Amino acid sequence: MTLVAIKYTRGKLEILDQLLLPTQSEYIPVKNSGDGWNVIKKMQVRGAPAIAIVGCLSLAVEVAEDREHSTVGDLAHFICDRLHHLVTARPTAVNMAEASKRLTTLMKDMAAESGQRVDTLRERFMKECEDMLEKDIAVNKNIGKYGADHILAQCKNKPVKVLTHCNTGSLATAGYGTALGVVRALHEREKISHAYCTETRPYNQGSRLTAYELVHEKIPATLICDSMAAILMDQQDISAVVVGADRVVANGDTANKIGTYQLAIAAKHHNVPFYVACPSTTFDPNLTSGKDIEIEERPSGEMTSVKGIRVAAHGINCWNPAFDITPASLITGGIITEFGVFSPADLKAQLADCLKTDN
Ligand code: MRU
């Protein structure tokens, strides 16, 4: 049975509370965009694609019930305002911002049409949000396919050992996953000899969530502490490092979970190809370099305590950036998207072409 992190039917949204995993599996209701903002901020749902999907669906649920905004202009204004608010929950991942921008343009355009009906606007908004959930799994499967093809071609079709970081699987997306989708696709072809996942301190998305998914899928896998990655590359014949992304900018620089950058440096040193796997919605052509990306800083409590138990000395100062930037030059394997695998330098032009043909 596949893990379902997001349960949605029109008018009803529930998410698997990722703060409770792996010891408890509990779905919590998300009744409106205020709840949506809170579950994203608290990281009860996380991962760039899942943040965008849950954010938008939380508003779709609210809009399904809403009869307060009775004119087209009022409803469009309300939707745009709430979308804008949802973007503020977590600033680094671009997917929610991209969805907000696209849906805001759509709502404004529709509202400007003469004779437009409020029910049509409401229906269209809900449908667009529901499509995001539907489409994401298909996108992830393509990422898995292209990633597995590319890695196996580099390894002469021999079984591979892959290292991944953070959680990029069913829990971080609508299902299947991005970087973990590549691991899953390799496993489906019986071509993964071993997967390694990092703990991903401080929040432990690797040990709590990725390890849970790997065990669930019966993929042969081993958990390592983040500080063990270099010795793993030195002592094991790692075929590829595959990670996800929260934002890839025009020059290919990539923001992803803190610790990604040091993995890329270690991979370069050991001649291990380093891949980023992400949907095209994670690409932000508006920023030219990784230096322009806003890095979210999280509360120090995530470092100093584990499940409410203090593990750091009282009085110590903390710095807790949630993401880091991997320069394009270290992404040696390529960027795996639903359209194919591209070098960071070619990504902008290639995606522009693919998206033109796709629309
Ligand atoms: O802080 P998180 O858990 O939301 O960070 C998640 C990551 O960095 C993932 O690698 C990224 O969002 C891609 S998820 C498919």
Side-chain angles (χ1 to χ4, degrees):
M1 219 180 61
T2 47
L3 280 172
V4 180
I6 304 167
K7 283 189 185 172
Y8 173 84
T9 50
R10 187 162 279 190
K12 189 174 176 198
L13 173 64
E14 290 180 319
I15 58 146
L16 186 56
D17 186 346
Q18 297 189 26
L19 291 180
L20 301 178
L21 284 173
T23 49
Q24 276 169 269
S25 237
E26 199 176 299
Y27 286 88
I28 48 171
V30 180
K31 293 188 175 143
N32 49 47
S33 55
D35 286 356
W37 192 92
N38 283 328
V39 294
I40 293 168
K41 184 77 181 171
K42 279 162 64 186
M43 291 174 71
Q44 286 169 297
V45 63
R46 26 67 47 208
I51 288 171
I53 294 165
V54 168
C56 290
L57 286 177
S58 71
L59 183 53
V61 165
E62 187 169 357
V63 164
E65 297 298 317
D66 174 80
R67 292 299 174 269
E68 200 183 311
H69 303 94
S70 53
T71 68
V72 165
D74 263 7
L75 183 60
H77 184 267
F78 170 72
I79 289 174
C80 297
D81 182 61
R82 297 314 290 166
L83 284 170
H84 188 70
H85 179 62
L86 281 159
V87 174
T88 64
R90 296 195 71 195
T92 304
V94 75
N95 307 52
M96 183 63 227
E98 193 268 347
S100 166
K101 199 168 152 195
R102 182 174 57 79
L103 291 167
T104 297
T105 305
L106 177 70
M107 290 298 102
K108 286 190 174 160
D109 287 352
M110 282 184 78
E113 282 168 24
S114 66
Q116 187 58 267
R117 298 184 53 221
V118 74
D119 287 346
T120 314
L121 193 94
R122 177 183 295 113
E123 174 63 32
R124 179 69 188 274
F125 176 72
M126 291 189 295
K127 179 78 175 59
E128 288 287 331
C129 299
E130 289 160 1
D131 283 353
M132 286 171 71
L133 185 66
E134 287 279 306
K135 264 173 91 175
D136 192 52
I137 296 184
V139 162
N140 291 343
K141 289 204 167 159
N142 278 338
I143 291 173
K145 180 199 159 326
Y146 285 122
D149 286 349
H150 199 278
I151 291 169
L152 289 174
Q154 302 299 307
C155 297
K156 302 188 172 64
N157 214 30
K158 293 204 187 91
V160 293
K161 290 183 186 174
V162 173
L163 169 65
T164 191
H165 186 54
C166 195
N167 175 266
T168 58
S170 295
L171 295 167
T173 61
Y176 205 75
T178 58
L180 206 58
V182 175
V183 172
R184 216 178 281 265
L186 287 163
H187 179 61
E188 283 162 12
R189 299 180 195 188
E190 300 183 356
K191 288 290 183 189
I192 193 119
S193 66
H194 214 82
Y196 293 88
C197 66
T198 59
E199 261 186 321
T200 319
R201 280 284 290 152
Y203 200 64
N204 287 80
Q205 291 94 326
S207 54
R208 291 189 300 109
L209 308 176
T210 303
Y212 183 76
E213 290 202 41
L214 289 165
V215 172
H216 185 87
E217 295 290 328
K218 300 190 173 51
I219 298 173
T222 296
L223 173 68
I224 62 163
C225 297
D226 300 11
S227 45
M228 298 166 188
I231 194 172
L232 180 84
M233 291 182 213
D234 186 52
Q235 296 197 355
Q236 294 290 334
D237 194 16
I238 300 295
S239 322
V241 179
V242 188
V243 301
D246 288 84
R247 191 183 296 241
V248 181
V249 299
N251 69 351
D253 290 354
T254 294
N256 191 49
K257 179 51 50 194
I258 193 74
T260 302
Y261 179 29
Q262 66 194 21
L263 287 182
I265 292 171
K268 180 99 168 185
H269 181 79
H270 292 94
N271 281 322
V272 176
F274 188 90
Y275 291 88
V276 167
C278 63
S280 55
T281 47
T282 304
F283 182 59
D284 180 357
N286 301 315
L287 300 185
T288 47
S289 127
K291 291 194 172 49
D292 304 328
I293 303 175
E294 182 184 350
I295 301 291
E296 175 188 8
E297 288 196 23
R298 303 278 308 170
S300 59
E302 287 175 6
M303 288 169 68
T304 55
S305 298
V306 176
K307 296 249 173 221
I309 296 170
R310 183 90 191 182
V311 291
H314 284 283
I316 191 68
N317 295 315
C318 291
W319 179 45
N320 187 13
F323 302 96
D324 57 26
I325 309 295
T326 300
S329 58
L330 295 179
I331 304 170
T332 52
I335 300 183
I336 309 166
T337 73
E338 70 271 34
F339 300 113
V341 182
F342 306 117
S343 77
D346 292 343
L347 184 73
K348 186 176 175 183
Q350 294 277 7
L351 278 186
D353 271 0
C354 296
L355 289 167
K356 215 184 290 162
T357 323
D358 202 42
N359 285 328

